[in-house]
Amino acid sequence: ASFTDAMEQQRRKARAAWAGSGDTATENIWFPLREKLGATEFLGYDTEVAEGVITALVKDGKEVASLGKGESGAIVLNQTPFYAESGGQVGDTGTLVGDGVLARVTDAQKKAGDLYVHLVTVEKGTLKPGVALELKVDHARRSLLLHIHRIEEKARSFARLLRFYRPDQTLLREMQNARRIRHHLASAGK
């Protein structure tokens, strides 16, 4: 079998195995879009503001030519600083601003592997494929969520430690010995 045949077979397997979330009819759009557009380049580790170009618009599970004022839908960009919901951390929010256009990003999600999808509500103007936008992540919200995520990771680590150590075990004795040694050294220096 050729490389192309093997890749197509793998795509079919991935589609068949994908459980997805929500209404499957509206989720099936993402695999063909991923194949057509390629992966979204993620810039969010280095910046919270970037320029991106709209590559696709989706509303009610179908690709559409535009989203106008007051409409909500999903937007795919060639690149993004918006962190997508993943690994227990929620997706970024923020704004998309262009010439006569303002859209509010209410969530960012990954679909079909590495296609970043921005859920938006258009507040001004009309979004269309090919339009360049300034992409701005809500810095205050991202910072807060990052701190919460780090605290949760530390709490999980601490909980794992508590499962393994009981007061009668070596760790407690070692901590007591360390306190005695510190006390002895401190009093010897006087």
Side-chain angles (χ1 to χ4, degrees):
S2 72
F3 176 76
T4 307
D5 293 339
M7 286 300 295
E8 186 54 38
Q9 183 179 5
Q10 178 57 35
R11 286 185 190 110
R12 281 194 302 274
K13 283 182 183 177
R15 283 189 201 107
W18 182 71
S21 63
D23 185 7
T24 303
T26 61
E27 297 293 329
N28 285 335
I29 183 96
W30 305 117
F31 284 104
L33 276 177
R34 168 60 178 90
E35 289 175 24
K36 179 172 97 174
L37 305 172
T40 305
E41 182 181 358
F42 179 64
L43 309 172
Y45 293 125
D46 300 320
T47 186
E48 293 179 354
V49 178
E51 185 174 295
V53 176
I54 299 172
T55 55
L57 297 162
V58 174
K59 183 171 180 165
D60 299 325
K62 296 181 181 106
E63 193 169 2
V64 294
S66 66
L67 287 174
K69 182 179 178 180
E71 288 187 286
S72 295
I75 181 173
V76 179
L77 301 150
N78 65 324
Q79 59 185 17
T80 184
F82 286 84
Y83 184 86
E85 186 176 326
S86 176
Q89 192 168 343
V90 297
D92 280 330
T93 61
T95 56
L96 308 177
V97 181
D99 188 24
V101 176
L102 172 63
R104 190 117 354 244
V105 177
T106 58
D107 195 10
Q109 302 174 351
K110 268 199 251 188
K111 303 288 187 181
D114 51 10
L115 189 70
Y116 284 66
V117 176
H118 307 76
L119 304 183
V120 302
T121 299
V122 181
E123 294 185 358
K124 178 181 169 189
T126 302
L127 297 174
K128 294 180 181 177
V131 171
L133 299 167
E134 183 179 34
L135 321 171
K136 296 180 183 180
V137 172
D138 180 339
H139 171 76
R141 182 176 180 273
R142 179 189 270 188
S143 295
L144 177 64
L145 291 173
L146 184 60
H147 288 303
I148 291 169
H149 186 69
R150 287 180 180 155
I151 290 167
E152 288 171 339
E153 286 176 343
K154 288 178 183 179
R156 281 191 295 274
S157 295
F158 184 67
R160 279 193 298 275
L161 281 175
L162 289 177
R163 277 191 313 204
F164 293 110
Y165 294 106
R166 298 188 217 326
D168 62 333
Q169 289 187 319
T170 307
L171 179 64
L172 182 60
R173 287 192 297 271
E174 291 300 324
M175 289 169 52
Q176 290 168 341
N177 287 338
R179 275 191 223 119
R180 280 190 214 109
I181 291 169
R182 275 196 309 275
H183 178 70
H184 177 71
L185 290 173
S187 59
K190 291 182 181 178

